[in-house]
Amino acid sequence: MASIQNHNIVSSHNMQTISNIADIRNIIKAERQKGKTIGLVPTMGNLHAGHISLVAQMQQHADIVITSIFVNPLQFSPNEDFDSYPKTLKADQEKLEAAGNHYIFAPSAAEIYPEGSASKTLVSVAALDGILCGKSRPTHLTGVATVVTKLFNIIAPDHAVFGLKDYQQLMVIKQMAIDLCMPINVIGAPIVRDEDGLALSSRNSYLTAEQKQIAPRLNQILNYVKQAILAGEENFRELEKQTMQIIEESGFKPDYFEIRTQNTLKTATIADHKLTIFVAASLGKTRLIDNVRFATDEKNN
Ligand code: AMP
């Protein structure tokens, strides 16, 4: 037993890292037999304060928190950064242990895709694909939904948490859980940002010093457009068009800037009151995404 007098003991529970499916299932079975509830935090590793906030959030919901670390080949297209995606397992273990996470599930690609990543079964939330990130990354959301289905089937958690930073992804997972009768409470967690407003992302480590100066503009632009809408701007399509130009003039290569409804992700008009503004833009080879959510009938948010 750890001494409760020593405030520095953060690893008294000896967090374990598990790499195979049979082992994690046995561990979960034993925890379940003790009456514990299970929470899953899916990640691709290279953890930052945004990921750690998900662990903290999950501790409010579940007795046992399992963080998965898996760079999922299926959600990258051939021209993307799968091979160079930062892998920092040791640092991730230290951060998770300090955060009070209970288990890491860090499988190999062969464990998850024994027949290779040309998976014969794919999970696609068709109604939410083909827009936003689904348009420029056509296989991405199917790759995400497929691997999350596998993780849900392996861990069978009571709760799973996803960041609002990847808002479309969160909506895809929520819809998938409903449509496929997965008995899992899918939770959305607030976006964690740097002081300058830049949403934390593992990919921010790709940015040069010069690009780091430009990157926070993305969030400033989102907030500027939000304020314009709250101040009565009605022509959303014109606003989108002009803002795409501003993003380009700021030094980004814009992918999309779209004002959509918060719950259904439909193109929004002035008749809609719960809105999400989405942006994706690249700085050099680094693709950044961000969003802001608000209600037009709550002037104070
Ligand atoms: P990733 O490792 O990029 O796949 O992200 C794993 C989870 O962390 C996803 O649910 C993300 O939405 C979430 N996440 C990533 N960055 C942030 C952030 N800045 N704030 C909150 N959640 C985040």
Side-chain angles (χ1 to χ4, degrees):
M1 283 286 272
S3 160
I4 47 170
Q5 285 149 334
N6 186 342
H7 299 294
N8 292 324
I9 294 184
V10 290
S11 56
S12 55
H13 57 269
N14 286 324
M15 186 190 67
Q16 283 175 266
T17 299
I18 314 298
S19 59
N20 74 62
I21 295 172
D23 288 348
I24 194 81
R25 281 192 167 137
N26 281 334
I27 285 169
I28 291 163
K29 196 171 166 195
E31 296 288 2
R32 289 260 183 228
Q33 275 163 358
K34 288 187 249 169
K36 306 286 188 194
T37 59
I38 308 293
L40 174 64
V41 183
T43 81
M44 298 204 300
N46 192 231
L47 302 182
H48 51 63
H51 298 111
I52 300 305
S53 79
L54 303 189
V55 173
Q57 175 107 348
M58 188 48 83
Q59 285 163 340
Q60 310 289 319
H61 290 86
D63 301 324
I64 300 296
V65 179
I66 302 174
T67 297
S68 62
I69 297 180
F70 181 62
V71 184
N72 173 34
L74 205 61
Q75 71 189 66
F76 289 79
S77 60
N79 61 337
E80 292 182 345
D81 57 344
F82 175 69
D83 290 327
S84 57
Y85 199 85
K87 291 174 191 71
T88 54
L89 183 61
K90 192 152 190 312
D92 293 348
Q93 285 169 322
E94 283 164 13
K95 286 177 193 168
L96 287 171
E97 181 138 29
N101 179 72
H102 297 94
Y103 299 98
I104 297 176
F105 178 53
S108 66
E111 185 73 1
I112 297 297
Y113 300 107
E115 297 184 50
S117 58
S119 184
K120 293 193 182 95
T121 301
L122 296 172
V123 180
S124 168
V125 181
L128 298 178
D129 214 337
I131 57 167
L132 302 168
C133 285
K135 208 165 166 186
S136 43
R137 307 181 73 193
T139 59
H140 173 67
L141 288 163
T142 295
V144 170
T146 303
V147 81
V148 171
T149 298
K150 282 172 169 270
L151 291 170
F152 282 4
N153 284 336
I154 294 164
I155 310 287
D158 301 285
H159 311 273
V161 66
F162 296 82
L164 286 160
K165 184 186 151 245
D166 303 276
Y167 189 76
Q168 185 180 13
Q169 169 176 286
L170 169 67
M171 299 307 275
V172 162
I173 302 299
K174 280 192 167 180
Q175 194 64 51
M176 175 184 91
I178 292 169
D179 290 349
L180 300 185
C181 309
M182 295 169 166
I184 298 167
N185 173 32
V186 178
I187 300 162
I191 302 176
V192 178
R193 301 179 180 281
D194 268 334
E195 271 170 30
D196 58 15
L198 177 64
L200 296 188
S201 163
S202 303
R203 290 194 169 96
N204 291 355
S205 62
Y206 299 153
L207 298 173
T208 65
E210 194 187 332
Q211 290 168 339
K212 280 203 176 97
Q213 300 293 311
I214 302 170
R217 277 288 284 157
L218 222 47
N219 186 240
Q220 289 163 12
I221 290 168
L222 281 173
N223 283 319
Y224 175 83
V225 174
K226 170 184 161 182
Q227 291 310 328
I229 292 171
L230 289 176
E233 181 61 62
E234 295 189 353
N235 191 340
F236 290 180
R237 300 295 83 74
E238 187 59 28
L239 210 47
E240 289 169 342
K241 214 170 92 190
Q242 287 174 5
T243 309
M244 283 290 277
Q245 205 169 337
I246 292 168
I247 293 167
E248 189 156 15
E249 284 161 8
S250 303
F252 300 88
K253 187 171 175 290
D255 178 2
Y256 58 76
F257 183 91
E258 295 184 25
I259 305 161
R260 289 186 174 261
T261 59
Q262 214 170 98
N263 297 327
T264 57
L265 305 191
K266 296 239 158 54
T267 299
T269 68
I270 189 71
D272 298 300
H273 297 296
K274 290 189 83 181
L275 305 178
T276 301
I277 312 179
F278 294 89
V279 66
S282 298
L283 276 175
K285 285 194 183 126
T286 307
R287 188 170 183 278
L288 302 173
I289 61 170
D290 200 352
N291 68 82
V292 64
R293 301 154 315 283
F294 61 103
T296 51
D297 43 11
E298 292 166 29
K299 295 284 179 194
N300 294 328
N301 73 22

